[in-house]
Each structure stands twice: as C-alpha cells, then as structure tokens.
Amino acid sequence: MFHSTTPEPGLQPSTHRFHCIACDGISDSAGQDFRCPQCGDLLEITYPQWLSAAPSPVDLISLWRGRRISNSAVDLSGVWRFRELLPKLPADDRAITLREGNTPLYALPWCARSTGIPDLLAKHQGMNPTGSFKDTGMTVAASFAREAGFRWVACASTGNTSASMAAYAARGGMRSLVLVPEGKISWSKLSQALDYGALTCQLRTDFDGCLRLLQDLVRHAPVYQLNSINPFRLEGQKTLALELLEQLEWQPPDHIVVPGGNLGNSSAIGKALLELRSLGLISRLPKLSIIQAEGANALVRTVRETRGKRLISVQAETHATAIRIGNPASWKKAVHVLEATEGACEQVSELEIAQAKAEIGAEGIGCEPASAVTLAGLRKLLAQGFVKKTETVVLVLTGNLLKDPDFTMGFHRGDLFKELPEQESLKFLRRPPVVLEPTLEAVIQALEKEEKLESAPFQDSKS
Ligand code: F0G
C-alpha cells in the first residue's frame, strides 16, 4: 500500500521544542500521535531561545510590515510572513503555501447598529484559499509533514480540515487520507477533498468516532496526522492574531469572539496573544471568548459543571456541522486560554445561529453557520454585561458562505426549521427565490411586492 521508499518518519531538531501541557515535560521530537510519552496529554510548541534572545518588538513590527511589499512566496503568505514566531523550516522555499492568511478585517456597520456596539469588526478567515481558517495551520503542518518524509497525511474532519489538508497535500506532492462522518458534512467541503485528490472515506460514525480511528491508525501506519492535535497546525493558526493586531496598528481589541469545536483554533489564538504579550508586542490581553452550539456544548458544560477540571463529553447535534463535535481534543488548552485572557464561554441555539448567519449575510459578507455562533454569542455576552457597548469587539468568521449552501438554501426557502412555528425574527431575513413567468410585467410586479413588504427591524436600522 505504501511506497517502498518512504523514509523513516522523524522530525529534524529545530528551534522549537515540544512541551507537554500537563506534566511540563520537554522534548526535541514528537511521536506520530503528538502526545506526551510520559503522561499522554497534548503537546504544544515552545521556543526556548526566546528566553535568552527574544526578538525585539520594534524590529519584528517593521520586518513584518516591510515584507508586505515583497514578492517572495513566503512573504506573500499571511502565515510565513510572521515566520519569526513559527517553527523554522530548513529553507524558506520548503514552505507549501497557497498565499493563505492575508484575510480582511471588515467593519460590520449594520450588525454594529443592531447590537449597539459601534466598534464591531469581523476577521474573515473564510477568505483563505480553501475557504476556511484551516489553511493558516495547514501550510505549517503540511510543510513539516513533507520535511519529515511522509508520503501520506491524514485527518478526521467535519469538512474544512479535510478540504484544506487535501489541497496542501496536493501542492506538496503528498497523498491525503480523509475520514469524515457519513452524511454529516456539507457537499461543498466533501467535493473539495475529492477534487484535490484525497482518498476520501465516509465512515458510519460521527466526527469523534473518525478522530478515534485516526489516532489508532497513526500507531499502525506511517501516516502523518494533520488534525489540530498536531501542534504545528496551531502554530500556523496563531498568525490570525498577529495579522489582526497588525491591522489594528497593534492596539488590542477588548474582545475576540471565536467559535469552538475541537477547540484548536481558540487555543491557537490564545497562545498567540500570550506570546505577543510576553514578547512585548502588546501590553494588554483581549478577552478571548468561545461560543458553541447548544447541541455541541462540551466546553460550556465542562466550564460550568467542573470549572474546567474534567471534560464533559456530549452527543453532538447541530445544523452547524463544522462544530458538531462532542469530545473536543484541545479542551484543556481552551480552558487555559479562557482563564488566562479572562474570556467567557457561551452557547447559542440553532435559531440564534441561523438568524446571526443571515445578518452577516445581509452585510454582503456571509459566512458558514459555525462562524455565525460568534455574533449570536456576542448578543448574549452583551445582555449579560460581559461585553460593553463602548468596547471593541472582533468576531472571528471561520468559514466562507459558500461552504454550506444547503443550510443557506434551507434557511431562505423556510425548510430549515419547518417543524417550528414561524419565527418573527427570521421571517424578515428570509429571501426565498421567486419563480416567475419570463415577462416584464411579472418582474415589475415582483419588485413592487418586495417594496411593499414590511421592513424588518434589522432592515430598518439600515435606512
Ligand atoms: N468553524 C469552522 C468553519 C470549522 O470548520 C471549525 C472546525 C470550527 C469553527 C471550530 O474550530 O475545531 O478549532 O474549535 N472544523 C474542524 C474540521 C473540526 O474538521 O474542519 P476548532
């Protein structure tokens, strides 16, 4: 099955070390399961040389800014542009890059008015090459997979990781193996993996079942694991915070709000913020808050019921399939960043997610359902007084609108919550397609009918 010349997998010693988040053990290399050999917990990447020779904040800021006019592949990448804070590749041209990162920070004027928070921004990671934030981590982890001599990379996924991994593996000349829950990921994500040439296996289980199987597989076959348990992924995903702060002239926002699934992304952003503060690039930490769907609320329950001491797994169910995860791998890392940044953890209902998604769509931006939990969660945090209207808030939109057309069509056609009574809050956000005779009269009538429609409160706030 595997190419006979596959070299012995192993990581080259580099500037980074692997640190166990539980027992503090440090090692130069990591096994294929990316777990601590002593206690079995997760590893994170650290940079011991920063203790003796920390890069100067002023130098870093001007170096990174200067690279924005460079045409070299690593400088055009919104990830590798910040390579001083990433594990070092043997040479810059070894990076597998699709010009990931470089994502826009949008103002959300209508949502700002409807929430009453004037300084409301969205960092849109759905504008990455494969349409999700996963690309920022994948460029780093896939590059290191190739350096380690692996022919096969693999992941369990709710769809976006698999799309991203398949793309980066293809670009790097590696084969990819995708394990996804059958019938539980969107067609657009699945079709990406197929087109990028992955061996795509739809397993009759959920995401958590796929991940368990992958962890077993990496112990039995020379495949390199590209889930967010892989700490190289999280190093790449850190760059969201770097790019965001650069876009804000290094003035930290008061809040960053992020969706929580397997909890790698929140952990990565939190790690970046803590590193930036310890390196002196920022002097104060934004509060990082994590929002989950009510039906996939393992972290919310873990924080509320055990104060973050013991994971409460759940049987996950939500239309936001990207975060349909009941047993999040990086829960301990996420609890740590919640505590360190004094962030909050909240859950939102399916209706709240759908409404928030439509509102972000009506801004002319759009996102996938999992990303919309951020706006829905923000409303709750505001109502609780945790977020103040005078504060600056950045929502992290993790995936592109086009990632889940079935959800969007179902919402606008009114099929999504058919079993529930008509919801006033959703009614005015729906824009179902109209089927007409191909006549001028019919189209003019449709225009007139639309004009007469009662305006939604949200629409009112636009005028
Ligand atoms: N938003 C989107 C669009 C996602 O695809 C995911 C995770 C998340 C949020 C949650 O991020 O897991 O780091 O907490 N998707 C993974 C996947 C699990 O396989 O694509 P997280």
Side-chain angles (χ1 to χ4, degrees):
M1 170 188 172
F2 295 99
H3 199 275
S4 56
T5 59
T6 301
E8 191 59 26
L11 292 167
Q12 299 298 314
S14 184
T15 52
H16 59 273
R17 299 281 181 277
F18 297 90
H19 167 246
C20 171
I21 61 164
C23 73
D24 273 340
I26 299 263
S27 58
D28 287 347
S29 62
Q32 286 197 56
D33 60 356
F34 290 107
R35 290 197 172 266
C36 171
Q38 267 79 48
C39 74
D41 219 314
L42 295 187
L43 302 174
E44 65 177 3
I45 287 178
T46 54
Y47 305 87
Q49 76 272 22
W50 289 359
L51 292 176
S52 50
S56 125
V58 177
D59 291 351
L60 284 176
I61 288 171
S62 82
L63 182 66
W64 294 337
R65 188 174 289 274
R67 283 179 185 153
R68 280 161 55 179
I69 52 165
S70 155
N71 270 330
S72 85
V74 275
D75 291 344
L76 287 166
S77 160
V79 171
W80 294 104
R81 190 157 67 81
F82 300 104
R83 53 194 174 272
E84 285 67 28
L85 303 196
L86 299 178
K88 194 168 164 52
L89 284 167
D92 284 350
D93 64 3
R94 298 298 300 164
I96 306 169
T97 171
L98 287 164
R99 298 197 188 177
E100 52 290 318
N102 300 312
T103 59
L105 181 64
Y106 291 123
L108 295 177
W110 316 124
C111 294
R113 288 178 71 174
S114 73
T115 55
I117 304 173
D119 292 325
L120 180 58
L121 302 164
K123 177 73 174 153
H124 207 327
Q125 295 297 89
M127 301 300 178
N128 267 291
T130 75
S132 85
F133 71 98
K134 306 287 181 178
D135 296 343
T136 58
M138 210 51 80
T139 180
V140 176
S143 300
F144 277 90
R146 186 168 69 176
E147 288 313 310
F150 282 89
R151 174 166 153 73
W152 280 87
V153 292
C155 73
S157 181
T158 56
N160 280 326
T161 301
S162 48
S164 179
M165 177 189 75
Y168 281 83
R171 299 294 294 181
M174 293 177 286
R175 295 296 320 275
S176 62
L177 168 70
V178 161
L179 306 180
V180 289
E182 195 208 0
K184 301 291 182 193
I185 79 166
S186 85
W187 287 113
S188 41
K189 298 175 189 178
L190 194 65
S191 62
Q192 284 183 288
L194 303 181
D195 225 38
Y196 301 139
L199 166 58
T200 305
C201 305
Q202 297 179 269
L203 305 185
R204 292 191 194 92
T205 178
D206 54 11
F207 169 83
D208 302 292
C210 292
L211 189 56
R212 265 195 306 277
L213 202 143
L214 177 70
Q215 312 251 291
D216 242 8
L217 180 72
V218 296
R219 282 192 278 270
H220 292 96
V223 292
Y224 185 87
Q225 176 178 189
L226 280 178
N227 274 95
S228 56
I229 290 172
N230 180 325
F232 289 104
R233 282 265 317 273
L234 301 198
E235 290 308 287
Q237 287 174 212
K238 279 189 333 192
T239 56
L240 176 148
L242 299 170
E243 196 176 83
L244 169 66
L245 280 153
E246 189 183 63
Q247 286 164 322
L248 293 173
E249 305 295 344
W250 300 96
Q251 295 304 311
D254 298 298
H255 296 272
I256 299 177
V257 186
V258 63
N262 213 20
L263 300 175
N265 203 31
S266 40
S267 304
I269 299 168
K271 183 174 191 280
L273 295 172
L274 294 168
E275 287 178 359
L276 290 177
R277 189 181 57 175
S278 79
L279 289 170
L281 280 115
I282 53 174
S283 54
R284 119 187 122 71
L285 287 174
K287 292 186 168 76
L288 183 69
S289 292
I290 305 174
I291 315 295
Q292 295 194 301
E294 275 176 7
N297 60 352
L299 183 70
V300 175
R301 291 194 53 190
T302 297
V303 168
R304 290 185 187 167
E305 295 169 35
T306 77
R307 294 162 146 227
K309 298 283 179 275
R310 184 174 51 82
L311 176 67
I312 308 239
S313 302
V314 299
Q315 191 64 44
E317 198 48 81
T318 168
H319 286 298
T321 51
I323 49 172
R324 192 175 176 276
I325 294 172
N327 194 28
S330 294
W331 68 275
K332 275 191 196 165
K333 291 184 179 180
V335 167
H336 173 64
V337 303
L338 282 177
E339 284 170 0
T341 68
E342 298 175 9
C345 185
E346 229 347 303
Q347 59 184 355
V348 291
S349 72
E350 297 294 298
L351 286 171
E352 288 167 335
I353 295 172
Q355 177 174 343
K357 181 174 134 41
E359 289 180 14
I360 295 166
E363 293 267 13
I365 293 176
C367 63
E368 68 166 287
S371 309
V373 301
T374 52
L375 178 60
L378 171 63
R379 289 192 194 285
K380 287 202 157 169
L381 299 180
L382 188 64
Q384 292 159 7
F386 181 79
V387 172
K388 315 263 177 310
K389 289 189 173 173
T390 50
E391 292 180 315
T392 304
V393 180
V394 176
L395 306 179
V396 176
L397 302 182
T398 44
N400 195 286
L401 169 69
L402 298 176
K403 284 286 194 170
D404 199 345
D406 283 349
F407 183 103
T408 309
M409 290 305 291
F411 174 80
H412 288 289
R413 286 191 165 135
D415 300 339
L416 199 57
F417 301 110
K418 249 201 319 245
E419 67 290 356
L420 301 179
E422 179 63 309
Q423 306 290 314
E424 283 303 307
S425 56
L426 302 188
K427 201 162 117 193
F428 296 108
L429 289 163
R430 288 215 175 97
R431 292 287 175 270
V434 270
V435 181
L436 300 175
E437 290 307 319
T439 64
L440 191 58
E441 196 190 14
V443 177
I444 289 176
Q445 265 178 17
L447 271 174
E448 286 170 354
K449 194 169 157 208
E450 185 75 9
E451 275 285 306
K452 278 193 209 125
L453 271 184
E454 203 186 332
S455 291
F458 176 64
Q459 293 293 312
D460 276 340
S461 69
K462 284 190 173 188
S463 53

